Amino acid sequence: MKKKLTILLLFIAMHGYAQQRPQYTQYILNNYLLNPALSGIENYTDFKAGYRKQWAGINDAPQTTFAAVHWSLGDKYLWKNPLSLPEKSDDPRSDDYTQNYTASPAHHGVGAIVFYDKAGPLATLNANLTYAYHLQLSGTLNLSVGVAAGVKRVNLNVQDLVLENGNDPALKNTIIAQTKPDLALGVWLYGAQFFAGASVQQILPQRLAFTTDDVYNQGKEVPHAFVTAGYKLFIDDEISFIPSVMVKYVKPAPLSFDANVKVSFKDRFWVGGSYRHKDSYAAMAGFNFSKLVNLTYSYDLTTSELKNFSNGSHEIVLGLQLNNIYQTMRSMRMW
């Protein structure tokens, strides 16, 4: 459908402050994407790379490619904790491990996140470095605080625009690319069988406009707030059941609510599901090839009005657990 550039710029100015960050279905497996306080929470270098195609079947729908890596600093290991060196038979997801759990020592964690998000003529490249400090609150409880800081590059590809008037005067005032600072903060409380956290992305107020025309340059970036919590239950020593929830708020969009569940079988594979209120259902599955490599996939079935045009959303993530000292394949402490 042809659109005047002036209409596009006005839409960005009036509505550009709604959902501005990529949406992920598998964030429950990588909360680090949403909360920098998870930097260095595992006892290995946790690397993940993924691709998401949202609303397949709709031309120019959002597509996101990302890579994230984080690790702890230092070489401290305590018996029966996320940073400990277990015995060969010790499984960091087993019921016995959680019953004998002790909090990790106070330590630092660092990492980096890069993503490229494209929707229609708009493309964003974002790069952040992260830092977290993990404090030992008690014998079985840790609290971490984290920060992510970096830059983003936002581009408007005028060549992707189809105009009714090729000489639209707004085109002369178009800002093709702009670079802005980025900042996020987060906290994370965790123990042997539960986690809870909160984070805010895009804290720094920034104008988001693609023209110097005062009529159309009222767009701005707004903070994205996330609150997440989950708990791990054991059906038996080979099967764990993990429900979790997330609430997201991006003013002036309505409050968003996610409910998730994951069931893990032995040390090989898991299945799960997710529901996003008034938006979608999702099915997820993952397979651990070794203590180094795992692969996960999710499919979202759209339930909003877009269901008449979309074939759903696909997301695939490759995980690498580098320098993994655990002897079992299911070495991720919580999930």
Side-chain angles (χ1 to χ4, degrees):
M1 180 181 295
K2 294 182 178 181
K3 297 289 184 181
K4 289 184 178 180
L5 179 59
T6 51
I7 295 177
L8 171 66
L9 295 174
L10 181 61
F11 176 83
I12 293 173
M14 297 299 292
H15 302 283
Y17 44 74
Q19 177 69 43
Q20 298 168 337
R21 307 286 289 202
Q23 183 164 278
Y24 305 100
T25 296
Q26 298 182 45
Y27 69 87
I28 58 172
L29 307 173
N30 190 18
N31 271 292
Y32 174 63
L33 288 173
L34 305 180
N35 194 328
L38 277 87
S39 304
I41 196 172
E42 301 289 0
N43 193 32
Y44 49 83
T45 299
D46 189 4
F47 172 84
K48 288 185 174 63
Y51 171 76
R52 176 178 177 84
K53 183 175 180 60
Q54 190 161 320
W55 303 327
I58 298 179
N59 292 335
D60 297 323
Q63 299 183 58
T64 305
T65 304
F66 74 88
V69 59
H70 65 96
W71 62 94
S72 62
L73 298 179
D75 56 359
K76 291 184 179 180
Y77 296 101
L78 294 182
W79 174 245
K80 297 291 186 183
N81 66 73
L83 297 180
S84 67
L85 181 64
E87 293 180 345
K88 185 173 182 179
S89 61
D90 194 19
D91 184 343
R93 279 187 176 172
S94 69
D95 192 17
D96 177 68
Y97 176 84
T98 59
Q99 289 178 3
N100 295 281
Y101 178 90
T102 59
S104 70
H107 65 280
H108 306 271
V110 295
I113 301 174
V114 177
F115 70 78
Y116 178 75
D117 187 56
K118 189 177 188 305
L122 296 179
T124 301
L125 178 63
N126 186 293
N128 275 275
L129 297 178
T130 69
Y131 166 80
Y133 180 72
H134 297 254
L135 177 67
Q136 188 176 27
L137 292 183
S138 67
T140 59
L141 195 62
N142 284 98
L143 175 68
S144 63
V145 293
V147 59
V151 295
K152 67 178 67 175
R153 179 77 170 174
V154 184
N155 290 274
L156 173 64
N157 189 347
V158 178
Q159 302 302 318
D160 286 348
L161 300 174
V162 180
L163 308 177
E164 291 181 357
N165 177 10
N167 296 317
D168 194 307
L171 190 61
K172 298 180 180 179
N173 300 318
T174 303
I175 300 173
I176 303 301
Q178 47 199 297
T179 302
K180 300 179 179 296
D182 194 29
L183 181 68
L185 297 173
V187 296
W188 196 256
L189 182 69
Y190 61 98
Q193 292 181 260
F194 83 98
F195 63 85
S199 63
V200 181
Q201 298 179 339
Q202 289 191 175
I203 293 177
L204 300 176
Q206 297 289 318
R207 176 171 290 187
L208 185 62
F210 295 89
T211 177
T212 57
D213 192 323
D214 291 339
V215 178
Y216 310 114
N217 66 357
Q218 302 304 308
K220 62 180 180 180
E221 294 184 343
V222 295
H224 290 45
F226 305 87
V227 177
T228 311
Y231 194 86
K232 177 165 61 177
L233 303 168
F234 285 95
I235 298 176
D236 59 35
D237 200 46
E238 299 291 345
I239 302 176
S240 61
F241 175 80
I242 309 172
S244 67
V245 296
M246 183 184 76
V247 177
K248 177 176 66 176
Y249 180 60
V250 184
K251 185 180 181 180
L255 199 67
S256 175
F257 175 81
D258 287 30
N260 312 282
V261 65
K262 176 192 172 187
V263 181
S264 178
F265 301 90
K266 295 186 177 181
D267 58 358
R268 279 292 181 183
F269 69 97
W270 61 265
V271 295
S274 177
Y275 168 70
R276 180 171 292 117
H277 184 55
K278 294 184 178 180
D279 182 78
S280 64
Y281 290 95
M284 298 175 282
F287 189 83
N288 299 317
F289 293 94
S290 68
K291 71 174 188 176
L292 172 65
V293 182
N294 57 75
L295 186 68
T296 62
Y297 169 78
S298 64
Y299 172 75
D300 296 28
L301 179 64
T302 305
T303 59
S304 67
E305 293 301 321
L306 286 172
K307 66 183 178 182
N308 298 320
F309 310 96
S310 168
N311 298 323
S313 302
H314 304 269
E315 187 174 304
I316 187 167
V317 179
L318 172 68
L320 299 178
Q321 297 173 165
L322 306 175
N323 304 317
N324 186 358
I325 52 84
Y326 291 110
Q327 300 301 313
T328 60
M329 283 183 287
R330 47 176 174 173
S331 54
M332 190 180 295
R333 187 188 57 82
M334 175 55 69
W335 292 101

Coordinates of all heavy atoms in Angstrom, one line a residue, residues 5-18 20 122 206-211 213-222 252:
L5 N 5.2 10.0 2.5 CA 6.3 10.1 3.6 C 5.8 10.9 4.7 O 6.1 10.7 5.9 CB 7.6 10.6 2.9 CG 8.7 10.8 3.9 CD1 9.1 9.4 4.5 CD2 9.9 11.4 3.2
T6 N 5.1 12.0 4.4 CA 4.6 12.9 5.5 C 3.8 12.1 6.5 O 3.8 12.3 7.7 CB 3.9 14.1 5.0 OG1 2.8 13.6 4.1 CG2 4.8 15.0 4.2
I7 N 2.9 11.2 6.0 CA 2.1 10.4 6.9 C 2.9 9.5 7.7 O 2.7 9.3 8.9 CB 1.0 9.6 6.1 CG1 0.1 10.6 5.4 CG2 0.3 8.6 6.9 CD1 -0.9 9.9 4.5
L8 N 4.0 8.9 7.1 CA 4.9 8.0 7.8 C 5.6 8.7 8.9 O 5.6 8.2 10.1 CB 5.9 7.4 6.8 CG 7.0 6.6 7.5 CD1 6.5 5.3 8.1 CD2 8.1 6.2 6.5
L9 N 6.1 9.9 8.7 CA 6.8 10.6 9.7 C 5.9 11.1 10.8 O 6.3 11.1 11.9 CB 7.4 11.9 9.0 CG 8.5 11.6 8.0 CD1 9.0 12.9 7.3 CD2 9.7 10.8 8.6
L10 N 4.6 11.4 10.5 CA 3.7 11.8 11.5 C 3.4 10.6 12.4 O 3.3 10.7 13.6 CB 2.4 12.3 10.9 CG 1.3 12.8 11.9 CD1 1.9 13.9 12.8 CD2 0.1 13.2 11.1
F11 N 3.3 9.4 11.8 CA 3.0 8.2 12.5 C 4.1 7.9 13.5 O 3.9 7.6 14.7 CB 2.8 7.0 11.6 CG 2.6 5.7 12.3 CD1 1.3 5.3 12.7 CD2 3.7 4.8 12.5 CE1 1.2 4.1 13.4 CE2 3.5 3.6 13.1 CZ 2.2 3.3 13.6
I12 N 5.4 8.0 13.0 CA 6.5 7.8 13.9 C 6.5 8.8 15.0 O 6.8 8.4 16.2 CB 7.8 7.9 13.1 CG1 7.9 6.7 12.1 CG2 9.0 7.8 14.0 CD1 9.1 6.8 11.1
A13 N 6.2 10.0 14.7 CA 6.2 11.1 15.8 C 5.2 10.8 16.8 O 5.4 11.0 18.0 CB 6.0 12.4 15.1
M14 N 4.0 10.4 16.4 CA 2.9 10.2 17.3 C 2.9 8.9 18.0 O 2.4 8.8 19.2 CB 1.5 10.4 16.6 CG 1.3 11.8 15.9 SD 1.3 13.1 17.2 CE -0.2 12.7 18.0
H15 N 3.4 7.8 17.4 CA 3.3 6.5 17.9 C 4.6 5.8 18.1 O 4.6 4.7 18.6 CB 2.4 5.6 17.0 CG 1.0 6.2 16.8 ND1 0.0 6.1 17.7 CD2 0.5 6.9 15.8 CE1 -1.1 6.7 17.3 NE2 -0.8 7.1 16.1
G16 N 5.7 6.5 17.8 CA 7.0 5.8 17.8 C 7.5 5.5 19.2 O 8.4 4.8 19.4
Y17 N 6.7 6.0 20.3 CA 7.1 5.7 21.6 C 6.5 4.5 22.2 O 6.4 4.4 23.4 CB 6.9 7.0 22.5 CG 5.5 7.6 22.3 CD1 4.4 7.1 22.8 CD2 5.5 8.8 21.6 CE1 3.2 7.7 22.6 CE2 4.2 9.5 21.4 CZ 3.1 8.9 21.9 OH 1.9 9.5 21.7
A18 N 5.8 3.7 21.4 CA 5.3 2.4 21.9 C 6.3 1.4 22.0 O 7.4 1.6 22.5 CB 4.1 2.0 21.1
Q20 N 9.4 -0.3 21.2 CA 10.6 0.1 20.4 C 11.7 -0.9 20.5 O 12.7 -0.8 19.8 CB 11.1 1.5 20.9 CG 10.0 2.6 20.8 CD 10.4 3.8 21.5 OE1 11.1 3.8 22.5 NE2 9.8 5.0 21.1
L122 N 12.6 0.9 8.8 CA 13.4 1.2 9.9 C 14.3 0.1 10.4 O 13.8 -1.1 10.4 CB 12.5 1.6 11.1 CG 11.6 2.9 10.9 CD1 10.7 3.1 12.2 CD2 12.5 4.1 10.7
Q206 N 15.4 10.2 24.9 CA 16.0 10.6 23.6 C 14.9 10.9 22.6 O 13.9 10.2 22.6 CB 16.9 9.4 23.1 CG 18.1 9.1 23.9 CD 19.1 10.1 23.9 OE1 19.4 10.7 22.8 NE2 19.7 10.4 25.0
R207 N 15.1 11.9 21.9 CA 14.1 12.3 20.8 C 14.3 11.3 19.7 O 15.5 11.0 19.3 CB 14.3 13.7 20.3 CG 13.4 14.1 19.1 CD 13.4 15.5 18.8 NE 12.8 16.3 19.9 CZ 12.5 17.6 19.8 NH1 12.9 18.3 18.8 NH2 11.9 18.2 20.8
L208 N 13.2 10.8 19.1 CA 13.3 9.9 18.0 C 12.5 10.5 16.8 O 11.3 10.3 16.7 CB 12.7 8.5 18.3 CG 12.8 7.4 17.3 CD1 14.3 7.1 17.0 CD2 12.1 6.1 17.7
A209 N 13.2 11.2 16.0 CA 12.5 11.9 14.9 C 13.3 11.7 13.6 O 14.5 11.6 13.6 CB 12.4 13.4 15.2
F210 N 12.6 11.7 12.5 CA 13.3 11.4 11.2 C 13.1 12.6 10.2 O 13.2 12.4 9.0 CB 12.7 10.1 10.6 CG 13.1 8.9 11.4 CD1 12.2 8.5 12.4 CD2 14.2 8.2 11.1 CE1 12.5 7.4 13.1 CE2 14.5 7.1 11.9 CZ 13.7 6.7 12.9
T211 N 12.8 13.8 10.8 CA 12.7 15.0 10.0 C 13.0 16.2 10.9 O 12.9 16.1 12.1 CB 11.3 15.1 9.4 OG1 11.3 16.4 8.7 CG2 10.3 15.1 10.5
D213 N 11.4 18.9 10.4 CA 10.2 19.6 10.4 C 9.5 19.5 11.7 O 9.3 18.4 12.3 CB 9.2 19.0 9.3 CG 8.0 19.9 9.0 OD1 7.5 20.5 10.0 OD2 7.6 20.0 7.9
D214 N 9.2 20.7 12.4 CA 8.6 20.7 13.7 C 7.3 20.0 13.8 O 6.9 19.6 14.9 CB 8.5 22.1 14.2 CG 9.8 22.8 14.4 OD1 10.8 22.1 14.6 OD2 9.9 24.0 14.4
V215 N 6.6 19.8 12.7 CA 5.3 19.1 12.7 C 5.4 17.7 13.0 O 4.6 17.0 13.6 CB 4.5 19.4 11.4 CG1 3.2 18.6 11.4 CG2 4.3 20.9 11.2
Y216 N 6.6 17.1 12.5 CA 6.7 15.6 12.6 C 7.9 15.1 13.5 O 8.3 14.0 13.4 CB 6.9 15.1 11.2 CG 5.9 15.6 10.2 CD1 6.2 16.4 9.1 CD2 4.5 15.2 10.3 CE1 5.3 16.9 8.2 CE2 3.6 15.7 9.4 CZ 4.0 16.5 8.4 OH 3.0 17.0 7.5
N217 N 8.4 16.0 14.3 CA 9.6 15.6 15.1 C 9.3 15.4 16.5 O 10.2 15.7 17.4 CB 10.8 16.5 14.8 CG 10.5 17.9 15.4 OD1 9.4 18.2 15.9 ND2 11.5 18.8 15.3
Q218 N 8.1 15.0 16.9 CA 7.7 14.9 18.3 C 7.9 13.5 18.9 O 7.6 13.2 20.0 CB 6.2 15.3 18.5 CG 5.9 16.7 18.0 CD 6.8 17.8 18.7 OE1 6.9 17.8 19.9 NE2 7.5 18.6 17.9
G219 N 8.4 12.6 18.0 CA 8.6 11.2 18.5 C 9.8 11.1 19.6 O 10.6 12.0 19.6
K220 N 9.7 10.1 20.4 CA 10.7 10.0 21.4 C 10.8 8.5 21.9 O 9.9 7.7 21.7 CB 10.4 10.9 22.7 CG 9.1 10.5 23.4 CD 8.9 11.4 24.6 CE 7.5 11.0 25.3 NZ 7.3 11.8 26.5
E221 N 12.0 8.2 22.4 CA 12.2 6.9 23.0 C 11.7 6.9 24.5 O 11.8 7.9 25.1 CB 13.7 6.5 23.0 CG 14.2 6.3 21.6 CD 15.7 5.8 21.6 OE1 16.3 6.0 22.7 OE2 16.1 5.3 20.6
V222 N 11.1 5.8 24.9 CA 10.5 5.7 26.2 C 11.1 4.5 26.9 O 11.5 3.5 26.3 CB 9.0 5.6 26.2 CG1 8.4 6.9 25.6 CG2 8.5 4.4 25.4
P252 N 2.8 4.6 26.2 CA 1.5 4.5 26.7 C 0.8 3.2 26.3 O -0.4 3.1 26.4 CB 0.8 5.7 26.0 CG 1.4 5.7 24.7 CD 2.9 5.3 24.9

